[in-house]
Amino acid sequence: MAAPLRAPDPLSPFEQLRLAREIVRTEGQTLLALADRLGEEFCHAVALLASTRASVIVSGMGKAGLIGQKIAATFASTGTRSHFLHPSEAIHGDLGRLHADDVALVLSFSGKTEEIVRILPALRDLNVPIIAVTGQPDSALAKQAAITLDLGAIREACPLGLAPTASTTAMLALGDALALVLSRIRGFSSEDFARFHPGGSLGQKLARVEDVMRPLAQCRVALMTQTLRETLVGQSRPGRRTGAIMIVDASGMLVGIFTDSDLARLLEANRDAAIDGPLADVMTESPAMIARGELLSIACELLSRRKISELPVVDQAGKPVGLIDITDVVGVTPAEEVQSSMFNVQSSVPAPKSAGKFKLHRPNAEL
């Protein structure tokens, strides 16, 4: 008959918080100590990883294996081909996944985990170099590794001192450090990151403006010599209606914009006659715009910062190719920024005549 379970300790809310804070501090102190002990072996490990012509194979058992899966995913998403190899599955056929050009990153705090020790001879026979992540530099794992990254003596945050907690936190942080330093060395860019993360809100933020802009066929474009009335009456467009007219000169260059807000201001000021005058007299000159090929996140930031609801997209010559409306990017920019943009919309302030023909937004360039 099974022994009855012990009654749980009655912890007051105060004691619960005290214990939780102690656990978090213990893990935090472990990471600080690990940062201080990193040395040339870390650089050797990065160099070995950078030199591989194949994949980084990450392996670990139990909790270390779960951490290893996350590390493999981090490598893969930051430009380093990587796979996780379960040590138990490895000795039942999955060793066939290995290639002599691979590098193995093997995690075991004790360095003597049975399943890990059993795959070491196979790694040696395949000439796969091993980077060991362990807390025991004299262990079986460390002795067969080309490079050993010593985590040092770690006190687990578990009150019983048994459950892997601080040690697995250290493994995760070290794996992140390897992956991200390697990524920096390889020149991994935000464009590369976008290519590997096309889905979800992250992928949306890293998309290009042309991925969401309304194409020119769905936009209203008029010559600066045309009247507002003939443009509004003669240019109905299919699909979602945009509240902006992009205004061009005789060469097709974008020189201004006219929005629904501008129309409302004309009517409020009793300037009805301006509706039959040229758009050049009522447009906002030198409007904010963004180049085709820029990241959508830059467009979102520009919409929010300038408090505008329409952003023309132009080619490198300054000719319009589409338009981004604030409603097209709801859910891409943070909710509070979208709300600010939608409820504080105003037309761009006309630029002085000497400000140039148009302002093309580029990263890190002020409008």
Side-chain angles (χ1 to χ4, degrees):
M1 182 176 178
L5 295 174
R6 254 184 77 188
D9 292 333
L11 289 179
S12 67
F14 175 82
E15 284 297 314
Q16 293 174 35
L17 287 174
R18 183 197 62 77
L19 180 57
R21 288 166 180 164
E22 180 182 338
I23 290 168
V24 173
R25 288 192 184 101
T26 297
E27 299 203 6
Q29 290 163 2
T30 298
L31 294 182
L32 291 175
L34 175 62
D36 290 340
R37 72 180 297 112
L38 292 179
E40 61 178 0
E41 287 297 301
F42 179 88
C43 298
H44 295 332
V46 171
L48 179 56
L49 292 169
S51 69
T52 182
R53 292 178 294 173
S55 300
V56 176
I57 305 299
V58 185
S59 190
M61 190 68 194
K63 304 299 185 294
L66 296 174
I67 295 298
Q69 292 179 53
K70 194 280 179 183
I71 292 173
T74 299
F75 272 115
S77 70
T78 54
T80 299
R81 187 165 49 187
S82 181
H83 308 281
F84 178 76
L85 178 67
H86 195 291
S88 292
E89 299 296 335
I91 60 176
H92 290 283
D94 280 5
L95 283 170
R97 299 180 180 184
L98 294 174
H99 188 276
D101 291 329
D102 291 334
V103 172
L105 180 66
V106 183
L107 286 62
S108 172
F109 186 71
S110 70
K112 59 183 182 181
T113 305
E114 179 184 356
E115 293 86 352
I116 292 295
V117 172
R118 290 183 68 182
I119 68 171
L120 297 179
L123 294 174
R124 183 182 63 245
D125 292 343
L126 289 167
N127 293 317
V128 174
I130 298 170
I131 300 173
V133 177
T134 181
Q136 301 296 328
D138 296 324
S139 62
L141 170 59
K143 288 178 180 177
Q144 297 199 47
I147 299 169
T148 296
L149 299 178
D150 182 11
L151 297 173
I154 293 178
R155 178 174 67 89
E156 299 292 6
C158 167
L160 300 176
L162 300 175
T165 45
S167 60
T168 47
T169 297
M171 287 179 181
L172 179 60
L174 184 55
D176 285 344
L178 289 169
L180 297 178
V181 170
L182 183 58
S183 175
R184 177 71 177 271
I185 289 173
R186 287 178 165 166
F188 191 75
S189 67
S190 58
E191 288 80 7
D192 298 319
F193 197 84
R195 190 164 58 250
F196 294 151
H197 299 76
S201 60
L202 182 59
Q204 287 179 313
K205 290 181 181 179
L206 293 169
R208 302 291 176 181
V209 292
E210 57 266 30
D211 294 333
V212 300
M213 74 178 186
R214 304 183 188 197
L216 206 59
Q218 295 180 14
C219 301
R220 290 184 290 191
V221 181
L223 287 167
M224 58 192 300
T225 53
Q226 291 180 260
T227 69
L228 177 58
R229 185 185 298 277
E230 67 179 302
T231 301
L232 292 175
V233 172
Q235 291 198 37
S236 60
R237 289 290 181 268
R240 300 167 294 173
R241 187 181 70 86
T242 177
I245 301 169
M246 292 185 287
I247 303 165
V248 297
D249 62 14
S251 66
M253 300 276 287
L254 184 70
V255 293
I257 193 169
F258 187 88
T259 70
D260 282 351
S261 298
D262 294 323
L263 177 59
R265 275 189 283 273
L266 282 181
L267 299 177
E268 290 167 0
N270 294 317
R271 295 179 57 199
D272 301 40
I275 294 176
D276 292 307
L279 283 166
D281 292 344
V282 294
M283 70 182 185
T284 296
E285 296 182 60
S286 302
M289 60 186 76
I290 193 165
R292 178 172 54 193
E294 297 290 6
L295 291 175
L296 181 58
S297 57
I298 296 174
C300 291
E301 189 276 333
L302 186 57
L303 285 164
S304 177
R305 177 161 55 85
R306 293 290 293 268
K307 294 182 172 59
I308 54 178
S309 59
E310 294 92 3
L311 182 64
V313 181
V314 298
D315 62 18
Q316 290 303 313
K319 297 181 179 181
V321 294
L323 183 89
I324 293 179
D325 189 281
I326 187 67
T327 59
D328 300 328
V329 296
V330 172
V332 177
T333 177
E336 62 273 15
E337 293 185 9
V338 173
Q339 186 177 34
S340 172
S341 296
M342 292 183 71
F343 291 98
N344 294 283
V345 169
Q346 59 189 40
S347 178
S348 303
V349 178
K353 297 290 184 181
S354 61
K357 203 163 190 181
F358 66 93
K359 295 182 178 181
L360 179 61
H361 180 74
R362 303 180 187 276
N364 304 318
E366 192 61 34
L367 289 171

